[in-house]
Amino acid sequence: MANLLSIIRARTGDDLSPGQMQWRAGVEKADLKGHEAGKDSRTKEDDCPYIKTPHRDVWLQAFRNERGIDDTAEALNEFGVPVCEWIAMDESDRQRIRLRGWYRRMKTNPVLHARHKDREANNRVRLRERWRENPEPFRAKMREIYWDDVEATRAKAREKYHRNRDKELARKHRNAMARKAKREISRSPDEIFKMIDKAVSKSLPGFARDEVVSTMCLAVLEGKLFIENIGKEAAAYLRAYNREFDNFKTASLDAPVNGRDGTTFLDMLADDRDVDDY
């Protein structure tokens, strides 16, 4: 018969802090109270004064042993694990079982699932922001995890690669193309400039065309624009320029006019002077 109190004593050992000694004394007191309650014929299991484990489990086991009932340590808790095994588990194993049960409930509840997805998205955003602010603590933690168990880390990396092989190959291709673009524009900037200049329409005003060409050159230097995509993505850079600087689009009367030092369209309409005076 598994005794919960003996399991707790074996797990905690003799080298305890004052707080741990006080906690174990409370568990031993729960065992003593359970035996005393078992001797009282008027007391029932529902009269247990404890709510949290392991105090409640210890009290119930002592109470049932005193009454000659089957050992409570063999009973299953709310997670489907025998109480004696739950007491002997590490906290990390207990947390894993709790999360597994929560995930099962979450998968069957659309509201919980939506909240979980939103929480994950917010956590990813915050993590990226912290990485951009100071990436060194994250890199140090990654190095620590890697060298703590090199073989296990490499095995996980290989498993992840084979599970997402298409995505990994696409990512490697993008990185290779970005390195190639940086290398080519460093070796022959005139040739890359001619390719970009040829891809951008010459019907644009000179100032607008120069802005688009310079933006594309910068994108090639940063590895965001690949050399083989210069012709295909020129229209996208032109649209981005028009969204930022175009004056011939629907705008609010309270929006500032480009190049007018904060003057809004409403100010221009309300002013009695001719627009040419601006």
Side-chain angles (χ1 to χ4, degrees), residues 78-81 96-110 112-113:
E78 57 181 319
F79 302 106
V81 181
R96 192 176 299 112
I97 293 174
R98 293 190 191 103
L99 287 175
R100 194 181 302 139
W102 184 87
Y103 270 106
R104 281 197 294 267
R105 294 196 305 274
M106 181 265 294
K107 290 294 184 181
T108 58
N109 190 327
L112 289 179
H113 190 261

Side-chain angles (χ1 to χ4, degrees), residues 206-217:
F207 64 90
R209 191 170 186 278
D210 293 342
E211 183 69 27
V212 175
V213 170
S214 61
T215 304
M216 293 179 68
C217 290

Side-chain angles (χ1 to χ4, degrees), residues 200-230:
V200 180
S201 174
K202 292 182 171 57
S203 63
L204 296 173
F207 64 90
R209 191 170 186 278
D210 293 342
E211 183 69 27
V212 175
V213 170
S214 61
T215 304
M216 293 179 68
C217 290
L218 182 61
V220 174
L221 279 171
E222 293 177 347
K224 297 178 181 178
L225 176 60
F226 305 152
I227 295 175
E228 56 268 25
N229 295 340
I230 287 177

